[in-house]
């Protein structure tokens, strides 16, 4: 009797495997290669969802690296890729943990798109663990460094004008009149608005003459796609009142990347080995905001964060700054003869 039962079980197992094979073959017949799914996703995000070029560029960069480092993965049918395939590909293609997390996120969006289009049944990227990123200690700029940036918003000195032409943005920017950088500098410093968001703002987003003085970061300007309002503090208002305006009503002047590089160069960065920290002004705003107000929910809303976790981790245990420095920061305002001094 036992051999008969074993035979029945074997036949049943063979039947199950055949059915699984037929189901997989059916899924594969409807699927498309990973690289084709990427192209279709980019078309939808660009033409239908109207996503920003920066978002599209990140997808192209991540998937381009995959195609270069793991060409076999790129041409495999979406329905045939497994979690282990994704894990091995990411490990082979990306080194920094942040890039690995970015790759996981983009992979997940591609598979979810594939599920909607019936190209695959599951999202194997969802089973990948998110790598915990160790936050670096934040070092906000000190008030003297902030003052140096504002002092650099002036026409070029004779020495700066006389600098030979070069391909370096820092030096070329320092040769320009940087008075027009006052508004974007003030907004990044005293409102903590992201550099890329500032480039999308216009003076129509600045409400200086309303009961609630705010900057409205609209969805088309916001990095996250949501709208938020950022309060205009007294220091920011004082700088915006005297800031020159562009003819097209934009906040940032023409040649903004070059001018911004030149402004930092004049103020002492990118020279003699002093490097500009990433998101320096945004971190500076948040650091002094926490020291002064101790209002995490308010700061979360003004920074545009979805939760307070990042703020708690980054800004609640700062070293190298104190209450006195925070008070000095919020009192950096233009002198009455600011323009006279700059144009002398």
């Amino acid at each position: 009797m036992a051999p008969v039962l074993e035979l029945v079980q074997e036949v049943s197992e063979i039947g199950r495997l055949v059915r699984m094979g037929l189901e997989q073959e059916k899924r594969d017949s409807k699927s498309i290669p990973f690289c084709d799914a990427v192209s279709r996703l980019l078309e939808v995000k660009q033409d239908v969802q109207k996503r920003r070029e920066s978002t599209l560029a990140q997808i192209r960069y991540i998937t381009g690296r995959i195609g270069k480092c793991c060409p076999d993965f790129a041409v495999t049918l979406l329905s045939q890729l497994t979690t282990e395939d994704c894990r091995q590909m990411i490990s082979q293609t990306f080194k920094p943990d942040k890039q690995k997390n970015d790759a996981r996120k983009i992979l997940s969006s591609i598979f979810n798109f594939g599920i909607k289009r019936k190209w695959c049944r599951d999202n194997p990227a969802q089973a990948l663990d998110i790598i915990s990123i160790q936050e670096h200690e934040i070092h906000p700029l000190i008030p003297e460094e902030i003052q140096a940036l504002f002092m650099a918003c002036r026409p070029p000195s004779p020495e700066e004008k006389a600098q030979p032409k070069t391909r370096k943005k820092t030096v070329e920017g320092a040769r320009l009149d940087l008075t027009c950088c006052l508004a974007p500098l003030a907004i990044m410093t005293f409102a903590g608005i992201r550099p890329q968001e500032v480039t999308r703002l216009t003076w129509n987003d600045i409400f200086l003459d309303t009961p609630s003085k705010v900057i409205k970061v609209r969805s088309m300007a916001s990095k996250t796609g949501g709208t938020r309002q950022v309060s205009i503090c007294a220091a920011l208002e004082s700088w915006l009142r005297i800031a020159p305006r562009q003819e097209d009503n934009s906040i940032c002047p023409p040649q903004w990347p070059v001018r911004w590089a030149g402004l930092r160069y004049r103020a002492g960065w990118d020279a003699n080995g002093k490097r500009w920290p990433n998101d320096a002004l945004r971190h500076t705003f948040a650091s002094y905001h926490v020291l002064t107000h101790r209002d995490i929910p308010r700061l979360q809303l003004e920074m545009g964060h979805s939760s307070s976790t990042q703020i708690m981790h980054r800004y609640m245990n700062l070293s190298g700054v104190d209450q006195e420095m925070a008070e000095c920061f919020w009192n950096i305002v233009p002198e009455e003869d600011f323009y006279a001094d700059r144009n002398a």
Side-chain angles (χ1 to χ4, degrees):
M1 192 69 179
V4 175
L5 288 175
E6 289 178 4
L7 180 61
V8 170
Q9 290 173 348
E10 289 177 4
V11 171
S12 176
E13 179 65 14
I14 291 172
R16 186 182 70 83
L17 293 174
V18 169
R19 288 193 298 274
M20 287 178 60
L22 291 173
E23 290 174 4
Q24 183 64 44
E25 184 178 1
K26 183 179 179 181
R27 288 195 295 272
D28 291 347
S29 67
K30 296 180 180 180
S31 190
I32 63 175
F34 175 84
C35 56
D36 291 346
V38 171
S39 299
R40 303 278 188 87
L41 176 67
L42 284 168
E43 288 176 5
V44 170
K45 287 190 175 294
Q46 180 172 334
D47 300 332
V48 179
Q49 298 177 355
K50 308 296 183 184
R51 299 302 295 270
R52 295 194 190 93
E53 182 55 37
S54 58
T55 300
L56 302 177
Q58 186 186 33
I59 296 174
R60 293 191 190 103
Y61 171 75
I62 293 293
T63 55
R65 287 283 303 276
I66 293 171
K68 183 178 180 180
C69 299
C70 297
D72 290 343
F73 185 97
V75 297
T76 301
L77 292 176
L78 213 61
S79 59
Q80 294 180 350
L81 291 169
T82 66
T83 298
E84 187 57 31
D85 292 331
C86 295
R87 181 180 290 108
Q88 290 182 5
M89 180 277 295
I90 289 176
S91 177
Q92 181 178 335
T93 307
F94 305 99
K95 299 305 178 187
D97 288 343
K98 184 181 183 305
Q99 280 193 358
K100 290 179 180 179
N101 283 342
D102 289 343
R104 177 196 174 278
K105 182 178 178 181
I106 288 172
L107 276 180
S108 188
S109 69
I110 293 168
F111 283 112
N112 284 336
F113 180 67
I115 292 171
K116 289 181 181 179
R117 294 295 191 273
K118 310 296 184 183
W119 298 330
C120 58
R121 188 179 63 179
D122 304 310
N123 181 349
Q126 280 187 335
L128 297 174
D129 294 325
I130 298 174
I131 302 171
S132 177
I133 304 295
Q134 183 66 39
E135 290 282 357
H136 296 293
E137 186 177 357
I138 298 299
H139 297 283
L141 304 187
I142 62 175
E144 289 79 7
E145 291 175 321
I146 297 295
Q147 289 171 332
L149 287 165
F150 281 101
M151 293 290 284
C153 294
R154 55 167 173 76
S157 67
E159 294 77 17
E160 289 162 344
K161 282 184 179 180
Q163 287 285 331
K165 287 194 174 183
T166 174
R167 292 185 177 181
K168 291 184 177 180
K169 285 196 299 185
T170 52
V171 178
E172 283 303 296
R175 289 160 50 89
L176 301 173
D177 186 347
L178 303 183
T179 311
C180 54
C181 297
L182 205 54
L185 172 62
I187 289 170
M188 289 189 291
T189 302
F190 294 111
I193 293 177
R194 299 178 178 94
Q196 285 301 314
E197 292 177 334
V198 173
T199 64
R200 306 181 191 117
L201 294 179
T202 71
W203 282 96
N204 293 332
D205 302 313
I206 313 296
F207 296 88
L208 280 173
D209 300 311
T210 56
S212 298
K213 296 179 174 64
V214 296
I215 298 174
K216 182 174 285 188
V217 184
R218 304 177 195 274
S219 59
M220 291 302 294
S222 169
K223 175 186 175 182
T224 59
T227 299
R228 71 182 191 276
Q229 292 186 351
V230 184
S231 302
I232 296 177
C233 65
L236 177 54
E237 180 181 0
S238 67
W239 289 109
L240 292 177
R241 293 287 184 191
I242 68 166
R245 301 195 179 195
Q246 307 304 312
E247 290 184 2
D248 64 358
N249 213 34
S250 62
I251 294 296
C252 292
Q255 295 181 276
W256 167 244
V258 176
R259 293 180 191 272
W260 177 224
L263 186 69
R264 301 195 305 266
Y265 184 73
R266 278 188 191 174
W269 279 276
D270 302 321
N272 301 320
K274 185 178 180 180
R275 299 187 62 181
W276 178 259
N278 289 333
D279 291 324
L281 294 177
R282 184 169 167 82
H283 290 326
T284 298
F285 165 79
S287 300
Y288 291 129
H289 193 288
V290 166
L291 276 172
T292 302
H293 302 293
R294 296 285 173 177
D295 191 339
I296 300 301
R298 174 185 165 189
L299 181 59
Q300 175 192 334
L301 291 173
E302 299 207 340
M303 296 279 283
H305 288 313
S306 58
S307 75
S308 62
T309 303
Q310 195 173 50
I311 292 173
M312 295 291 290
H313 286 171
R314 285 183 171 179
Y315 306 113
M316 289 306 293
N317 296 293
L318 295 168
S319 61
V321 293
D322 54 34
Q323 196 68 43
E324 183 179 350
M325 293 170 67
E327 186 176 346
C328 289
F329 170 79
W330 296 111
N331 282 289
I332 297 175
V333 296
E335 302 289 341
E336 290 184 7
D337 57 351
F338 177 81
Y339 278 119
D341 288 345
R342 304 284 73 73
N343 293 313

